[in-house]
Amino acid sequence: MKTWVFDQEKTRKALARMIIVDEQPFSMVDREGFKYFREVACSNFVIPSRSTITRDNYAIYLDEKEKLKIFIKFSCQRISLTTDTWISEQRINYMFLIGHFIDNDWRSHKKVLIFCPISSHKGEAIGKAIENYLLELDIDKVFTVTVDNARSNDNAISYLEKRFSSWGTAILGGKYIHVRCVAHIINLVVNDGSKEMDNSISHVRGVVRYIRQSLARLKKFKECANKEKCQSKRLLCLDVPTRWNSTYLKLDTTQNFEKVFERYEEQDPRFRIDLKNHYDGVPTENDWVIVRRFVLFLEHFYQLTLHVSGSLHVTSNIVFNEISNAYGILK
């Protein structure tokens, strides 16, 4: 037992940290629910405005940034970087930079170094942004930089190679600093190869969309699945056409319901007509054969992607073996 003393400043900092950790909006402090909670839990606490909370969050960011800078400086011999850029719905260019390193106690670390808007997606703009933030964090001993295969990233790496060479910290003059993202290469390979299966995939995608477009259709489809004694417990899922792994999961699930679709067609007179008019038509028996073979083929690449995409453990030691296996499968 000990006497508790209320501390307005410490409680305010705890509130700011809670907003960060729980990903709450700054406006949370203005909501009735939070005000009622404060009255019950600690009426002495003066609720800060959202502007004050914004400043408190930024102060925490600056404090953590300084801690990270000191930690990397004294606990890291050399650091590897991964980076990517994208455009938000508001048409703002963003970039992130993540550092991977092993500390003095041989523990692996993954730290977000940058998350910021940038002027453009051009290679030189990306390279300069990375250079500025590395200088700001006092990081100069870079081992590798992993990026996807966009041309702008090639230009960014060329720019960084020159900078690292001028700093005198690059290994072998920065000759091997550029590492291409294996997962992205696999993505390009599979997307390119899957174009030959586009018709069959489109037919299957159409029937899934048709069923999921209406709750009544979905209910009737489940009834058909029960009558067919379908053993699969998975539900029909939509995919993102530009992400092959989601297409794989969609096809892997849907192939279990071929007979269910046949029974559903018997109960829905509009099924074939609507699919022909608004989608790519009904899957044929040959489409299902192609889908089953394609799922078996894609499974290898799906597992490969999972193996090389680990971010909390080292994966570079398994890449050669995994790529060799993929090469054997393609042959």
Side-chain angles (χ1 to χ4, degrees):
M1 298 289 290
K2 63 179 182 179
T3 303
W4 175 75
V5 179
F6 171 72
D7 188 325
Q8 171 72 18
E9 194 67 22
K10 188 180 291 186
T11 306
R12 206 178 83 187
K13 288 182 180 179
L15 173 60
R17 189 170 290 275
M18 181 193 74
I19 287 175
I20 295 171
V21 173
D22 294 340
E23 299 180 5
Q24 295 296 320
F26 298 142
S27 60
M28 188 191 87
V29 295
D30 297 331
R31 294 177 179 175
E32 290 300 318
F34 179 75
K35 290 178 179 179
Y36 176 72
F37 173 78
R38 191 267 301 182
E39 285 293 331
V40 174
C42 183
S43 58
N44 292 335
F45 179 56
V46 178
I47 299 178
S49 67
R50 68 175 72 183
S51 299
T52 302
I53 284 294
T54 303
R55 289 196 298 270
D56 288 347
N57 275 269
Y58 187 63
I60 291 175
Y61 160 73
L62 294 176
D63 185 46
E64 292 295 327
K65 181 179 178 181
E66 190 61 29
K67 288 179 183 177
L68 178 62
K69 180 179 178 180
I70 294 171
F71 179 69
I72 291 176
K73 184 175 182 178
F74 294 103
S75 301
C76 168
Q77 295 300 315
R78 198 165 282 275
I79 191 168
S80 292
L81 306 173
T82 55
T83 184
D84 201 1
T85 59
W86 71 95
I87 302 176
S88 70
E89 292 180 357
Q90 295 79 27
R91 310 305 298 170
I92 300 174
N93 300 314
Y94 283 100
M95 179 183 76
F96 73 80
L97 184 69
I98 295 178
H100 308 263
F101 60 92
I102 296 172
D103 66 16
N104 296 333
D105 296 319
W106 289 93
R107 288 189 297 245
S108 178
H109 291 270
K110 172 191 173 186
K111 301 289 186 182
V112 177
L113 305 178
I114 304 170
F115 179 80
C116 64
I118 57 173
S119 57
S120 73
H121 285 279
K122 293 181 179 179
E124 189 170 338
I126 295 172
K128 286 182 178 179
I130 294 174
E131 178 193 14
N132 290 336
Y133 277 97
L134 290 179
L135 291 171
E136 191 176 322
L137 291 170
D138 199 20
I139 296 173
D140 57 2
K141 294 181 180 180
V142 176
F143 187 47
T144 61
V145 182
T146 302
V147 292
D148 64 26
N149 291 278
R151 185 172 297 176
S152 60
N153 284 330
D154 291 345
N155 296 333
I157 296 298
S158 297
Y159 176 86
L160 290 173
E161 284 176 353
K162 295 175 183 176
R163 299 284 79 78
F164 296 156
S165 296
S166 66
W167 294 352
T169 57
I171 295 177
L172 296 175
K175 185 177 180 180
Y176 301 107
I177 202 168
H178 188 183
V179 177
R180 299 180 185 275
C181 176
V182 175
H184 187 251
I185 293 171
I186 296 168
N187 186 57
L188 294 175
V189 170
V190 176
N191 278 333
D192 191 52
S194 63
K195 291 175 184 177
E196 296 183 22
M197 313 294 177
D198 267 356
N199 286 337
S200 297
I201 293 173
S202 295
H203 291 161
V204 173
R205 183 179 291 125
V207 293
V208 173
R209 285 180 177 173
Y210 178 83
I211 297 297
R212 288 184 58 93
Q213 205 171 36
S214 161
L215 289 175
R217 291 174 189 168
L218 196 57
K219 182 180 179 182
K220 186 183 290 186
F221 185 82
K222 289 179 180 178
E223 292 172 356
C224 292
N226 291 331
K227 291 177 182 178
E228 283 292 330
K229 297 183 178 180
C230 182
Q231 299 299 317
S232 178
K233 299 298 182 184
R234 293 189 286 181
L235 300 176
L236 292 178
C237 58
L238 296 172
D239 67 324
V240 180
T242 55
R243 292 179 56 195
W244 71 267
N245 52 345
S246 71
T247 301
Y248 160 74
L249 294 172
K250 190 266 309 273
L251 295 176
D252 188 35
T253 299
T254 308
Q255 66 171 331
N256 299 307
F257 296 98
E258 179 183 355
K259 298 298 181 184
V260 181
F261 283 114
E262 292 177 2
R263 180 181 282 271
Y264 181 89
E265 183 179 356
E266 297 171 0
Q267 300 185 20
D268 185 351
R270 298 289 309 173
F271 182 70
R272 186 171 289 272
I273 298 171
D274 286 348
L275 282 172
K276 186 176 181 180
N277 293 337
H278 304 293
Y279 298 94
D280 294 315
V282 179
T284 64
E285 186 176 340
N286 186 54
D287 286 332
W288 289 111
V289 171
I290 290 173
V291 163
R292 286 196 175 88
R293 289 177 179 171
F294 197 45
V295 165
L296 289 174
F297 183 70
L298 286 183
E299 184 180 4
H300 298 287
F301 293 91
Y302 181 74
Q303 294 299 329
L304 191 159
T305 302
L306 293 180
H307 292 164
V308 301
S309 296
S311 60
L312 298 178
H313 60 275
V314 177
T315 58
S316 56
N317 58 312
I318 65 171
V319 168
F320 180 77
N321 187 52
E322 293 287 350
I323 292 298
S324 298
N325 289 338
Y327 177 75
I329 293 165
L330 288 170
K331 292 287 286 185

